[in-house]
Amino acid sequence: MEWYWIAEYTPRFIEGLWITIKLLVISIVLGMSLATPIGLVQVAGPTVLAWLARGFCAVIRGTPLLIQLWLIYYGLGSVFPSIPGIRESFIWPVLRDAFPYAIFAFSLSVAGYSGEVMRGAFKSVNKGELEAARAFGMNPFTLLRRIWFPRAIQNVLPTLAGEFILTLKSTPLAATITVFDVYGVGSMVRQETYRIYEPLLLVAGIYICLSGIIIAFFRWFERRNLRRRLSTN
């Protein structure tokens, strides 16, 4: 194996790693912002909204992420230029870039999968705790903020860690729409240097490190919550 190319391509790998991290973090934040109400409405929402949420999760979970990504990028990407005034507007530099479309697709994916996780999380909370909180006079918003949501999150931390790692491992799909994440840079190195295994091994090592960081964070968070529960008992 030969690694002579590393020094030349290190800046590009750093840039690709930064894009991967941004794609992952933004997608998780936006996706979980959608997943929480999607899960909640299936448990305690109106019937119509519950069915819409279930349908959304069924579509997202039932279709490959690659197809979703292509439909959003090539679909919306071809619609926006045909709208009068878009090309002359200040948002055109954003809309012609592939990264926002990748964010949109990955956020919907996180929302669809984690929405089902959150549905199970909300259902897993002991009803006695919720009834006791209502008996103390908590309004629905306070009950959700102080009791229901924290308890639900505690119950599914390992599952969410797995979902976020799966999202990380899906980020190489963004390279198919010209987003040069760390995998995209690795593919470019393969094409330019004709080295096959070394760039792939380097990319694999980077993903292993990122997965380890996610696992370590969730384990720290679980220990922190455990200590907090023990201190309040």
PDB file of all heavy atoms in Angstrom, residues 120-150:
ATOM      1  N   GLY A 120     -42.983   5.246  19.835  1.00  0.00           N
ATOM      2  CA  GLY A 120     -42.798   4.208  20.839  1.00  0.00           C
ATOM      3  C   GLY A 120     -42.310   4.763  22.163  1.00  0.00           C
ATOM      4  O   GLY A 120     -42.681   4.266  23.232  1.00  0.00           O
ATOM      5  N   ALA A 121     -41.472   5.816  22.084  1.00  0.00           N
ATOM      6  CA  ALA A 121     -40.950   6.417  23.310  1.00  0.00           C
ATOM      7  C   ALA A 121     -42.062   7.048  24.134  1.00  0.00           C
ATOM      8  O   ALA A 121     -42.143   6.865  25.353  1.00  0.00           O
ATOM      9  CB  ALA A 121     -39.893   7.455  22.963  1.00  0.00           C
ATOM     10  N   PHE A 122     -42.949   7.796  23.480  1.00  0.00           N
ATOM     11  CA  PHE A 122     -44.050   8.432  24.205  1.00  0.00           C
ATOM     12  C   PHE A 122     -45.009   7.388  24.787  1.00  0.00           C
ATOM     13  O   PHE A 122     -45.526   7.564  25.884  1.00  0.00           O
ATOM     14  CB  PHE A 122     -44.810   9.387  23.275  1.00  0.00           C
ATOM     15  CG  PHE A 122     -44.093  10.689  23.027  1.00  0.00           C
ATOM     16  CD1 PHE A 122     -43.745  11.075  21.738  1.00  0.00           C
ATOM     17  CD2 PHE A 122     -43.762  11.526  24.080  1.00  0.00           C
ATOM     18  CE1 PHE A 122     -43.090  12.266  21.508  1.00  0.00           C
ATOM     19  CE2 PHE A 122     -43.097  12.731  23.861  1.00  0.00           C
ATOM     20  CZ  PHE A 122     -42.759  13.090  22.576  1.00  0.00           C
ATOM     21  N   LYS A 123     -45.220   6.303  24.056  1.00  0.00           N
ATOM     22  CA  LYS A 123     -46.122   5.261  24.549  1.00  0.00           C
ATOM     23  C   LYS A 123     -45.520   4.495  25.723  1.00  0.00           C
ATOM     24  O   LYS A 123     -46.248   3.912  26.532  1.00  0.00           O
ATOM     25  CB  LYS A 123     -46.476   4.286  23.426  1.00  0.00           C
ATOM     26  CG  LYS A 123     -47.375   4.872  22.340  1.00  0.00           C
ATOM     27  CD  LYS A 123     -47.805   3.826  21.341  1.00  0.00           C
ATOM     28  CE  LYS A 123     -48.734   2.799  21.981  1.00  0.00           C
ATOM     29  NZ  LYS A 123     -49.267   1.858  20.986  1.00  0.00           N
ATOM     30  N   SER A 124     -44.176   4.491  25.797  1.00  0.00           N
ATOM     31  CA  SER A 124     -43.518   3.707  26.843  1.00  0.00           C
ATOM     32  C   SER A 124     -43.540   4.372  28.205  1.00  0.00           C
ATOM     33  O   SER A 124     -43.248   3.727  29.214  1.00  0.00           O
ATOM     34  CB  SER A 124     -42.061   3.434  26.438  1.00  0.00           C
ATOM     35  OG  SER A 124     -41.289   4.630  26.467  1.00  0.00           O
ATOM     36  N   VAL A 125     -43.863   5.653  28.259  1.00  0.00           N
ATOM     37  CA  VAL A 125     -43.884   6.359  29.545  1.00  0.00           C
ATOM     38  C   VAL A 125     -45.080   5.873  30.359  1.00  0.00           C
ATOM     39  O   VAL A 125     -46.204   5.776  29.852  1.00  0.00           O
ATOM     40  CB  VAL A 125     -43.956   7.881  29.333  1.00  0.00           C
ATOM     41  CG1 VAL A 125     -44.045   8.618  30.669  1.00  0.00           C
ATOM     42  CG2 VAL A 125     -42.730   8.354  28.547  1.00  0.00           C
ATOM     43  N   ASN A 126     -44.825   5.580  31.625  1.00  0.00           N
ATOM     44  CA  ASN A 126     -45.879   5.076  32.510  1.00  0.00           C
ATOM     45  C   ASN A 126     -47.030   6.072  32.607  1.00  0.00           C
ATOM     46  O   ASN A 126     -46.826   7.247  32.914  1.00  0.00           O
ATOM     47  CB  ASN A 126     -45.289   4.824  33.908  1.00  0.00           C
ATOM     48  CG  ASN A 126     -46.226   4.016  34.776  1.00  0.00           C
ATOM     49  OD1 ASN A 126     -47.421   4.289  34.858  1.00  0.00           O
ATOM     50  ND2 ASN A 126     -45.674   3.004  35.439  1.00  0.00           N
ATOM     51  N   LYS A 127     -48.230   5.593  32.337  1.00  0.00           N
ATOM     52  CA  LYS A 127     -49.388   6.476  32.383  1.00  0.00           C
ATOM     53  C   LYS A 127     -49.629   7.026  33.785  1.00  0.00           C
ATOM     54  O   LYS A 127     -50.191   8.107  33.950  1.00  0.00           O
ATOM     55  CB  LYS A 127     -50.632   5.738  31.891  1.00  0.00           C
ATOM     56  CG  LYS A 127     -50.594   5.408  30.404  1.00  0.00           C
ATOM     57  CD  LYS A 127     -51.886   4.750  29.957  1.00  0.00           C
ATOM     58  CE  LYS A 127     -51.856   4.450  28.454  1.00  0.00           C
ATOM     59  NZ  LYS A 127     -53.103   3.793  28.004  1.00  0.00           N
ATOM     60  N   GLY A 128     -49.199   6.268  34.798  1.00  0.00           N
ATOM     61  CA  GLY A 128     -49.372   6.742  36.170  1.00  0.00           C
ATOM     62  C   GLY A 128     -48.620   8.029  36.429  1.00  0.00           C
ATOM     63  O   GLY A 128     -49.107   8.907  37.157  1.00  0.00           O
ATOM     64  N   GLU A 129     -47.417   8.172  35.817  1.00  0.00           N
ATOM     65  CA  GLU A 129     -46.644   9.405  35.983  1.00  0.00           C
ATOM     66  C   GLU A 129     -47.383  10.583  35.363  1.00  0.00           C
ATOM     67  O   GLU A 129     -47.409  11.683  35.937  1.00  0.00           O
ATOM     68  CB  GLU A 129     -45.271   9.251  35.335  1.00  0.00           C
ATOM     69  CG  GLU A 129     -44.378   8.207  35.976  1.00  0.00           C
ATOM     70  CD  GLU A 129     -43.012   8.167  35.339  1.00  0.00           C
ATOM     71  OE1 GLU A 129     -42.470   9.247  35.031  1.00  0.00           O
ATOM     72  OE2 GLU A 129     -42.476   7.067  35.136  1.00  0.00           O
ATOM     73  N   LEU A 130     -47.965  10.362  34.200  1.00  0.00           N
ATOM     74  CA  LEU A 130     -48.681  11.441  33.526  1.00  0.00           C
ATOM     75  C   LEU A 130     -49.943  11.822  34.295  1.00  0.00           C
ATOM     76  O   LEU A 130     -50.262  13.012  34.432  1.00  0.00           O
ATOM     77  CB  LEU A 130     -49.045  11.015  32.102  1.00  0.00           C
ATOM     78  CG  LEU A 130     -47.874  10.570  31.214  1.00  0.00           C
ATOM     79  CD1 LEU A 130     -48.386  10.175  29.832  1.00  0.00           C
ATOM     80  CD2 LEU A 130     -46.829  11.665  31.106  1.00  0.00           C
ATOM     81  N   GLU A 131     -50.658  10.825  34.813  1.00  0.00           N
ATOM     82  CA  GLU A 131     -51.869  11.113  35.583  1.00  0.00           C
ATOM     83  C   GLU A 131     -51.535  11.845  36.878  1.00  0.00           C
ATOM     84  O   GLU A 131     -52.270  12.747  37.305  1.00  0.00           O
ATOM     85  CB  GLU A 131     -52.610   9.818  35.874  1.00  0.00           C
ATOM     86  CG  GLU A 131     -53.193   9.167  34.625  1.00  0.00           C
ATOM     87  CD  GLU A 131     -53.775   7.789  34.908  1.00  0.00           C
ATOM     88  OE1 GLU A 131     -53.674   7.343  36.080  1.00  0.00           O
ATOM     89  OE2 GLU A 131     -54.314   7.171  33.977  1.00  0.00           O
ATOM     90  N   ALA A 132     -50.402  11.478  37.497  1.00  0.00           N
ATOM     91  CA  ALA A 132     -49.987  12.165  38.722  1.00  0.00           C
ATOM     92  C   ALA A 132     -49.643  13.622  38.433  1.00  0.00           C
ATOM     93  O   ALA A 132     -49.984  14.525  39.216  1.00  0.00           O
ATOM     94  CB  ALA A 132     -48.790  11.454  39.340  1.00  0.00           C
ATOM     95  N   ALA A 133     -48.978  13.865  37.295  1.00  0.00           N
ATOM     96  CA  ALA A 133     -48.639  15.238  36.934  1.00  0.00           C
ATOM     97  C   ALA A 133     -49.901  16.050  36.668  1.00  0.00           C
ATOM     98  O   ALA A 133     -49.994  17.220  37.076  1.00  0.00           O
ATOM     99  CB  ALA A 133     -47.739  15.238  35.702  1.00  0.00           C
ATOM    100  N   ARG A 134     -50.878  15.452  36.025  1.00  0.00           N
ATOM    101  CA  ARG A 134     -52.135  16.166  35.785  1.00  0.00           C
ATOM    102  C   ARG A 134     -52.847  16.446  37.099  1.00  0.00           C
ATOM    103  O   ARG A 134     -53.473  17.507  37.265  1.00  0.00           O
ATOM    104  CB  ARG A 134     -53.032  15.336  34.863  1.00  0.00           C
ATOM    105  CG  ARG A 134     -52.495  15.176  33.448  1.00  0.00           C
ATOM    106  CD  ARG A 134     -53.528  14.540  32.540  1.00  0.00           C
ATOM    107  NE  ARG A 134     -52.982  14.254  31.212  1.00  0.00           N
ATOM    108  CZ  ARG A 134     -52.547  13.066  30.820  1.00  0.00           C
ATOM    109  NH1 ARG A 134     -52.606  12.033  31.656  1.00  0.00           N
ATOM    110  NH2 ARG A 134     -52.066  12.903  29.603  1.00  0.00           N
ATOM    111  N   ALA A 135     -52.755  15.511  38.036  1.00  0.00           N
ATOM    112  CA  ALA A 135     -53.401  15.715  39.330  1.00  0.00           C
ATOM    113  C   ALA A 135     -52.777  16.881  40.093  1.00  0.00           C
ATOM    114  O   ALA A 135     -53.462  17.543  40.890  1.00  0.00           O
ATOM    115  CB  ALA A 135     -53.296  14.441  40.164  1.00  0.00           C
ATOM    116  N   PHE A 136     -51.509  17.150  39.835  1.00  0.00           N
ATOM    117  CA  PHE A 136     -50.839  18.289  40.464  1.00  0.00           C
ATOM    118  C   PHE A 136     -51.161  19.598  39.750  1.00  0.00           C
ATOM    119  O   PHE A 136     -50.676  20.659  40.155  1.00  0.00           O
ATOM    120  CB  PHE A 136     -49.325  18.082  40.472  1.00  0.00           C
ATOM    121  CG  PHE A 136     -48.839  17.293  41.655  1.00  0.00           C
ATOM    122  CD1 PHE A 136     -48.535  15.942  41.534  1.00  0.00           C
ATOM    123  CD2 PHE A 136     -48.692  17.895  42.899  1.00  0.00           C
ATOM    124  CE1 PHE A 136     -48.090  15.209  42.622  1.00  0.00           C
ATOM    125  CE2 PHE A 136     -48.245  17.179  44.001  1.00  0.00           C
ATOM    126  CZ  PHE A 136     -47.947  15.823  43.870  1.00  0.00           C
ATOM    127  N   GLY A 137     -51.946  19.534  38.714  1.00  0.00           N
ATOM    128  CA  GLY A 137     -52.372  20.750  38.028  1.00  0.00           C
ATOM    129  C   GLY A 137     -51.495  21.202  36.893  1.00  0.00           C
ATOM    130  O   GLY A 137     -51.606  22.359  36.438  1.00  0.00           O
ATOM    131  N   MET A 138     -50.622  20.319  36.378  1.00  0.00           N
ATOM    132  CA  MET A 138     -49.770  20.710  35.260  1.00  0.00           C
ATOM    133  C   MET A 138     -50.607  20.863  33.990  1.00  0.00           C
ATOM    134  O   MET A 138     -51.446  20.007  33.682  1.00  0.00           O
ATOM    135  CB  MET A 138     -48.679  19.659  35.014  1.00  0.00           C
ATOM    136  CG  MET A 138     -47.540  19.687  35.989  1.00  0.00           C
ATOM    137  SD  MET A 138     -46.184  18.599  35.443  1.00  0.00           S
ATOM    138  CE  MET A 138     -45.030  18.841  36.806  1.00  0.00           C
ATOM    139  N   ASN A 139     -50.357  21.933  33.252  1.00  0.00           N
ATOM    140  CA  ASN A 139     -51.020  22.074  31.961  1.00  0.00           C
ATOM    141  C   ASN A 139     -50.319  21.176  30.949  1.00  0.00           C
ATOM    142  O   ASN A 139     -49.211  20.688  31.195  1.00  0.00           O
ATOM    143  CB  ASN A 139     -51.021  23.537  31.500  1.00  0.00           C
ATOM    144  CG  ASN A 139     -49.607  24.095  31.340  1.00  0.00           C
ATOM    145  OD1 ASN A 139     -48.787  23.559  30.614  1.00  0.00           O
ATOM    146  ND2 ASN A 139     -49.323  25.181  32.055  1.00  0.00           N
ATOM    147  N   PRO A 140     -50.943  20.910  29.792  1.00  0.00           N
ATOM    148  CA  PRO A 140     -50.363  19.962  28.826  1.00  0.00           C
ATOM    149  C   PRO A 140     -48.945  20.309  28.381  1.00  0.00           C
ATOM    150  O   PRO A 140     -48.103  19.419  28.243  1.00  0.00           O
ATOM    151  CB  PRO A 140     -51.350  20.024  27.654  1.00  0.00           C
ATOM    152  CG  PRO A 140     -52.652  20.408  28.282  1.00  0.00           C
ATOM    153  CD  PRO A 140     -52.294  21.341  29.391  1.00  0.00           C
ATOM    154  N   PHE A 141     -48.664  21.601  28.175  1.00  0.00           N
ATOM    155  CA  PHE A 141     -47.327  21.971  27.715  1.00  0.00           C
ATOM    156  C   PHE A 141     -46.279  21.703  28.795  1.00  0.00           C
ATOM    157  O   PHE A 141     -45.202  21.161  28.528  1.00  0.00           O
ATOM    158  CB  PHE A 141     -47.296  23.441  27.317  1.00  0.00           C
ATOM    159  CG  PHE A 141     -45.941  23.923  26.894  1.00  0.00           C
ATOM    160  CD1 PHE A 141     -45.422  23.577  25.650  1.00  0.00           C
ATOM    161  CD2 PHE A 141     -45.162  24.706  27.737  1.00  0.00           C
ATOM    162  CE1 PHE A 141     -44.163  24.006  25.254  1.00  0.00           C
ATOM    163  CE2 PHE A 141     -43.905  25.128  27.349  1.00  0.00           C
ATOM    164  CZ  PHE A 141     -43.411  24.785  26.112  1.00  0.00           C
ATOM    165  N   THR A 142     -46.588  22.071  30.043  1.00  0.00           N
ATOM    166  CA  THR A 142     -45.656  21.820  31.147  1.00  0.00           C
ATOM    167  C   THR A 142     -45.463  20.329  31.368  1.00  0.00           C
ATOM    168  O   THR A 142     -44.348  19.863  31.631  1.00  0.00           O
ATOM    169  CB  THR A 142     -46.166  22.481  32.434  1.00  0.00           C
ATOM    170  OG1 THR A 142     -46.363  23.877  32.209  1.00  0.00           O
ATOM    171  CG2 THR A 142     -45.177  22.291  33.565  1.00  0.00           C
ATOM    172  N   LEU A 143     -46.544  19.575  31.257  1.00  0.00           N
ATOM    173  CA  LEU A 143     -46.460  18.123  31.397  1.00  0.00           C
ATOM    174  C   LEU A 143     -45.537  17.530  30.345  1.00  0.00           C
ATOM    175  O   LEU A 143     -44.693  16.676  30.661  1.00  0.00           O
ATOM    176  CB  LEU A 143     -47.864  17.523  31.273  1.00  0.00           C
ATOM    177  CG  LEU A 143     -47.962  15.995  31.175  1.00  0.00           C
ATOM    178  CD1 LEU A 143     -47.446  15.351  32.449  1.00  0.00           C
ATOM    179  CD2 LEU A 143     -49.393  15.567  30.901  1.00  0.00           C
ATOM    180  N   LEU A 144     -45.677  17.987  29.107  1.00  0.00           N
ATOM    181  CA  LEU A 144     -44.824  17.483  28.027  1.00  0.00           C
ATOM    182  C   LEU A 144     -43.374  17.871  28.251  1.00  0.00           C
ATOM    183  O   LEU A 144     -42.464  17.046  28.092  1.00  0.00           O
ATOM    184  CB  LEU A 144     -45.325  18.034  26.691  1.00  0.00           C
ATOM    185  CG  LEU A 144     -44.485  17.700  25.457  1.00  0.00           C
ATOM    186  CD1 LEU A 144     -44.486  16.199  25.196  1.00  0.00           C
ATOM    187  CD2 LEU A 144     -44.999  18.456  24.232  1.00  0.00           C
ATOM    188  N   ARG A 145     -43.129  19.115  28.645  1.00  0.00           N
ATOM    189  CA  ARG A 145     -41.761  19.624  28.790  1.00  0.00           C
ATOM    190  C   ARG A 145     -41.032  19.025  29.983  1.00  0.00           C
ATOM    191  O   ARG A 145     -39.839  18.727  29.889  1.00  0.00           O
ATOM    192  CB  ARG A 145     -41.805  21.154  28.907  1.00  0.00           C
ATOM    193  CG  ARG A 145     -40.449  21.814  29.047  1.00  0.00           C
ATOM    194  CD  ARG A 145     -40.579  23.325  29.033  1.00  0.00           C
ATOM    195  NE  ARG A 145     -41.427  23.812  30.113  1.00  0.00           N
ATOM    196  CZ  ARG A 145     -40.961  24.085  31.338  1.00  0.00           C
ATOM    197  NH1 ARG A 145     -39.682  23.921  31.632  1.00  0.00           N
ATOM    198  NH2 ARG A 145     -41.790  24.546  32.258  1.00  0.00           N
ATOM    199  N   ARG A 146     -41.728  18.831  31.085  1.00  0.00           N
ATOM    200  CA  ARG A 146     -41.051  18.424  32.325  1.00  0.00           C
ATOM    201  C   ARG A 146     -41.136  16.931  32.613  1.00  0.00           C
ATOM    202  O   ARG A 146     -40.273  16.402  33.324  1.00  0.00           O
ATOM    203  CB  ARG A 146     -41.634  19.206  33.501  1.00  0.00           C
ATOM    204  CG  ARG A 146     -41.484  20.710  33.383  1.00  0.00           C
ATOM    205  CD  ARG A 146     -41.866  21.405  34.665  1.00  0.00           C
ATOM    206  NE  ARG A 146     -41.038  20.984  35.794  1.00  0.00           N
ATOM    207  CZ  ARG A 146     -41.176  21.420  37.035  1.00  0.00           C
ATOM    208  NH1 ARG A 146     -42.131  22.310  37.313  1.00  0.00           N
ATOM    209  NH2 ARG A 146     -40.395  20.995  37.995  1.00  0.00           N
ATOM    210  N   ILE A 147     -42.140  16.242  32.090  1.00  0.00           N
ATOM    211  CA  ILE A 147     -42.326  14.838  32.439  1.00  0.00           C
ATOM    212  C   ILE A 147     -42.278  13.941  31.210  1.00  0.00           C
ATOM    213  O   ILE A 147     -41.408  13.059  31.101  1.00  0.00           O
ATOM    214  CB  ILE A 147     -43.675  14.625  33.170  1.00  0.00           C
ATOM    215  CG1 ILE A 147     -43.777  15.522  34.400  1.00  0.00           C
ATOM    216  CG2 ILE A 147     -43.826  13.145  33.543  1.00  0.00           C
ATOM    217  CD1 ILE A 147     -42.774  15.211  35.490  1.00  0.00           C
ATOM    218  N   TRP A 148     -43.199  14.171  30.285  1.00  0.00           N
ATOM    219  CA  TRP A 148     -43.395  13.208  29.207  1.00  0.00           C
ATOM    220  C   TRP A 148     -42.203  13.119  28.265  1.00  0.00           C
ATOM    221  O   TRP A 148     -41.670  12.041  28.004  1.00  0.00           O
ATOM    222  CB  TRP A 148     -44.664  13.576  28.440  1.00  0.00           C
ATOM    223  CG  TRP A 148     -45.301  12.412  27.739  1.00  0.00           C
ATOM    224  CD1 TRP A 148     -44.841  11.112  27.724  1.00  0.00           C
ATOM    225  CD2 TRP A 148     -46.490  12.416  26.957  1.00  0.00           C
ATOM    226  NE1 TRP A 148     -45.664  10.321  26.985  1.00  0.00           N
ATOM    227  CE2 TRP A 148     -46.689  11.085  26.499  1.00  0.00           C
ATOM    228  CE3 TRP A 148     -47.397  13.407  26.593  1.00  0.00           C
ATOM    229  CZ2 TRP A 148     -47.775  10.735  25.700  1.00  0.00           C
ATOM    230  CZ3 TRP A 148     -48.475  13.060  25.795  1.00  0.00           C
ATOM    231  CH2 TRP A 148     -48.664  11.744  25.353  1.00  0.00           C
ATOM    232  N   PHE A 149     -41.767  14.276  27.742  1.00  0.00           N
ATOM    233  CA  PHE A 149     -40.658  14.260  26.788  1.00  0.00           C
ATOM    234  C   PHE A 149     -39.343  13.780  27.415  1.00  0.00           C
ATOM    235  O   PHE A 149     -38.667  12.918  26.835  1.00  0.00           O
ATOM    236  CB  PHE A 149     -40.481  15.641  26.168  1.00  0.00           C
ATOM    237  CG  PHE A 149     -39.357  15.721  25.181  1.00  0.00           C
ATOM    238  CD1 PHE A 149     -39.471  15.141  23.924  1.00  0.00           C
ATOM    239  CD2 PHE A 149     -38.171  16.366  25.492  1.00  0.00           C
ATOM    240  CE1 PHE A 149     -38.434  15.198  23.011  1.00  0.00           C
ATOM    241  CE2 PHE A 149     -37.130  16.426  24.591  1.00  0.00           C
ATOM    242  CZ  PHE A 149     -37.264  15.839  23.339  1.00  0.00           C
ATOM    243  N   PRO A 150     -38.931  14.277  28.600  1.00  0.00           N
ATOM    244  CA  PRO A 150     -37.679  13.775  29.189  1.00  0.00           C
ATOM    245  C   PRO A 150     -37.698  12.282  29.457  1.00  0.00           C
ATOM    246  O   PRO A 150     -36.709  11.586  29.216  1.00  0.00           O
ATOM    247  CB  PRO A 150     -37.555  14.586  30.493  1.00  0.00           C
ATOM    248  CG  PRO A 150     -38.342  15.823  30.248  1.00  0.00           C
ATOM    249  CD  PRO A 150     -39.483  15.405  29.382  1.00  0.00           C
TER     250      PRO A 150
END
